[in-house]
Amino acid sequence: MARLTAYCRRFLQNCRKTSTARTESAHFTVDERKEAEATIIRLIQQQSFSLEYKALQQAQPVSPKSRIRWFHPFIGTDQMIRIGGRLGKANQVYDSKHQIPLPAPHHFSIILVRYYHEKHLHAAPQLLLYLLRLRYWITGGRRLAKRTVHKCVICVRARPKLLEQFMAELPAARPFSSTGVDY
């Protein structure tokens, strides 16, 4: 999805430039890919959190009925909604201090969770949620992570079925019917 968006962005930029200043490379730069991902996330946030986005742009508090009101949202320098909190002075990367909120039922969130699950060798739900929260905060993310792992065919096949063994009958002759301990 990010690659396709990067192609579209490059096409539009090349249409605006003169023929000598166009980008002809088949490969994307890191900046192009990051900007394409940021464009996708901005569009998703404007669609899913439209009331919150408008309120934050006008420097007003978000609605008390909002799903992200408890996270002290704000608009970052990249024009995306970010989550505030108590980690403002922590010695961490900006993305892990102020995650990007995404809605769980959105198709992009589902694709993102599935990508992280496969990228990190079919991570369990808790590890998957931890890895996602280094950059994103998906509302209802715990449920989405569990559902992704339980729907994964490879994880289901690798999960062994535990066999229950019944205890056998004890023999009639008891070799240790009387024991003693020497101190």
Side-chain angles (χ1 to χ4, degrees):
M1 189 180 270
R3 251 192 338 245
L4 183 63
T5 306
Y7 272 120
C8 294
R9 287 180 52 82
R10 183 185 279 182
F11 175 75
L12 291 174
Q13 288 174 355
N14 283 341
C15 287
R16 293 180 188 133
K17 293 180 182 178
T18 62
S19 61
T20 57
R22 292 184 179 166
T23 307
E24 299 293 332
S25 173
H27 303 291
F28 296 115
T29 63
V30 174
D31 292 334
E32 284 179 318
R33 182 155 168 85
K34 284 183 179 179
E35 188 56 40
E37 187 179 339
T39 302
I40 293 169
I41 291 171
R42 261 187 247 115
L43 290 172
I44 290 169
Q45 286 183 340
Q46 289 172 1
Q47 178 186 11
S48 300
F49 304 120
S50 59
L51 297 175
E52 293 89 345
Y53 199 83
K54 289 175 187 173
L56 290 171
Q57 279 186 326
Q58 297 169 358
Q60 295 176 349
V62 294
S63 168
K65 296 179 182 177
S66 172
R67 293 177 286 177
I68 59 172
R69 74 178 182 278
W70 298 110
F71 301 117
H72 305 289
F74 66 94
I75 297 217
T77 56
D78 50 4
Q79 297 302 313
M80 287 190 276
I81 298 176
R82 296 283 186 155
I83 288 177
R86 302 180 332 178
L87 296 176
K89 295 180 182 177
N91 190 14
Q92 292 180 348
V93 182
Y94 181 76
D95 282 342
S96 66
K97 284 192 287 189
H98 304 291
Q99 296 98 350
I100 301 167
L102 292 171
H106 199 278
H107 184 65
F108 180 76
S109 300
I110 296 168
I111 291 173
L112 185 70
V113 172
R114 194 177 309 143
Y115 169 74
Y116 269 74
H117 175 67
E118 291 174 4
K119 179 184 174 188
H120 295 282
L121 305 174
H122 297 275
Q126 264 189 311
L127 175 62
L128 184 59
L129 197 60
Y130 165 76
L131 293 168
L132 283 165
R133 286 190 178 163
L134 289 175
R135 180 140 194 247
Y136 306 100
W137 188 279
I138 300 176
T139 58
R142 187 179 315 268
R143 193 173 337 130
L144 182 60
K146 285 181 181 179
R147 184 174 39 201
T148 302
V149 171
H150 291 297
K151 281 187 175 182
C152 178
V153 175
I154 295 172
C155 292
V156 169
R157 286 184 182 168
R159 194 177 314 131
K161 292 184 180 178
L162 299 175
L163 297 175
E164 293 183 20
Q165 295 182 358
F166 295 107
M167 294 187 76
E169 288 276 332
L170 291 174
R174 307 273 183 171
F176 301 106
S177 59
S178 60
T179 57
V181 178
D182 189 14
Y183 285 100

